[in-house]
């Protein structure tokens, strides 16, 4: 018996057969209660057949950081309820909160012409006085830590590389090939 890598196994799983239907959760812009929908659809798939992979199709400009965290947490719940992989597939753009959400996938693919983008968290959504400003700065640092942990987890780059990118709200774009080199994707297809 030959040993197959996770990528080879997922390639087999992603090919629909007569006894398998393709199960997809589509991620667009992150907001508006998306986490609840992701959880409901994902858990429905898991209850239907925990042995089949779930494909997370992502084409997103990103969105709300808190909803992105909620979506990611819901996907972890879904992941714990299935025995096959959760497969993230970038079909064009995977920006901001969506690139964070991609990290919940076991396997991560992108089309050759896809782009990923990361940036820090903006304060423009917070209105505050000086005292609130201190609290909001502490919150932003905590949120950045959560994001840095996710990006650094599978990256060959040191944590400091991701801290620098995520410290500013200036977007940093990566081609699909660059994203593979940085550990954000497993393969370009």
């Amino acid at each position: 018996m030959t040993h197959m890598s996770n990528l080879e196994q997922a390639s087999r799983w992603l090919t629909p057969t007569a006894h398998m239907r393709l199960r997809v959760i589509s991620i667009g812009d992150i907001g508006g209660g998306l986490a609840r929908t992701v959880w409901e659809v994902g858990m429905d798939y898991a209850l239907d057949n925990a042995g089949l992979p779930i494909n997370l199709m992502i084409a997103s400009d990103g969105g709300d950081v808190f909803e992105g965290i909620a979506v990611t947490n819901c996907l972890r719940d879904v992941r714990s309820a299935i025995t096959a992989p959760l497969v993230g597939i970038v079909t064009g753009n995977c920006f901001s909160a969506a690139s964070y959400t991609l990290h919940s996938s076991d396997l991560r693919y992108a089309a050759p012409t896809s782009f990923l983008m990361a940036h820090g968290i903006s304060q423009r959504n917070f209105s505050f006085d000086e005292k609130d400003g201190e609290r909001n700065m502490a919150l932003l640092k905590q949120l950045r830590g959560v994001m840095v942990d996710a990006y650094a987890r599978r990256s060959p780059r040191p944590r400091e590389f991701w801290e620098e990118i995520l410290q500013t709200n200036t977007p940093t774009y990566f081609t699909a090939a660059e994203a593979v080199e940085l550990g954000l994707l497993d393969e370009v297809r």
Side-chain angles (χ1 to χ4, degrees):
M1 173 183 239
T2 60
H3 179 268
M4 292 177 62
S5 72
N6 286 341
L7 294 175
E8 291 167 326
Q9 289 175 352
S11 296
R12 280 195 359 219
W13 287 326
L14 288 174
T15 306
T17 63
H19 65 279
M20 176 182 139
R21 67 175 197 258
L22 199 57
R23 301 177 328 156
V24 174
I25 299 174
S26 182
I27 301 289
D29 291 339
I30 310 282
L34 178 64
R36 179 180 176 168
T37 301
V38 165
W39 191 88
E40 288 173 352
V41 171
M43 289 308 238
D44 185 50
Y45 285 155
L47 291 172
D48 181 48
N49 188 336
L52 293 178
I54 296 175
N55 301 291
L56 183 65
M57 304 296 288
I58 302 174
S60 176
D61 289 334
D64 181 77
V65 65
F66 293 107
E67 189 72 14
I69 290 170
V71 168
T72 301
N73 291 338
C74 288
L75 287 168
R76 286 186 183 131
D77 285 350
V78 169
R79 177 63 196 99
S80 69
I82 61 175
T83 56
L86 179 64
V87 182
I89 304 167
V90 178
T91 60
N93 62 322
C94 184
F95 298 163
S96 189
S99 68
Y100 170 74
T101 299
L102 177 65
H103 295 293
S104 61
S105 302
D106 299 307
L107 303 168
R108 300 156 304 155
Y109 304 119
T113 55
S114 294
F115 284 85
L116 280 74
M117 184 269 284
H119 64 84
I121 301 158
S122 171
Q123 275 193 300
R124 69 175 165 248
N125 295 329
F126 301 108
S127 62
F128 53 84
D129 57 25
E130 186 176 345
K131 187 101 171 137
D132 287 339
E134 292 170 8
R135 279 182 251 163
N136 288 337
M137 286 302 295
L139 174 61
L140 289 174
K141 287 179 182 179
Q142 289 173 325
L143 288 169
R144 186 174 69 232
V146 168
M147 301 296 159
V148 168
D149 288 345
Y151 285 95
R153 187 173 299 119
R154 293 195 252 183
S155 177
R157 294 291 182 102
R159 181 179 172 80
E160 294 76 27
F161 174 82
W162 296 108
E163 285 175 346
E164 186 174 328
I165 286 175
L166 297 171
Q167 194 167 23
T168 174
N169 200 35
T170 303
T172 302
Y173 293 89
F174 308 103
T175 65
E178 290 169 334
V180 169
E181 291 174 18
L182 292 170
L184 301 177
L185 293 170
D186 296 306
E187 187 177 326
V188 175
R189 294 186 162 191

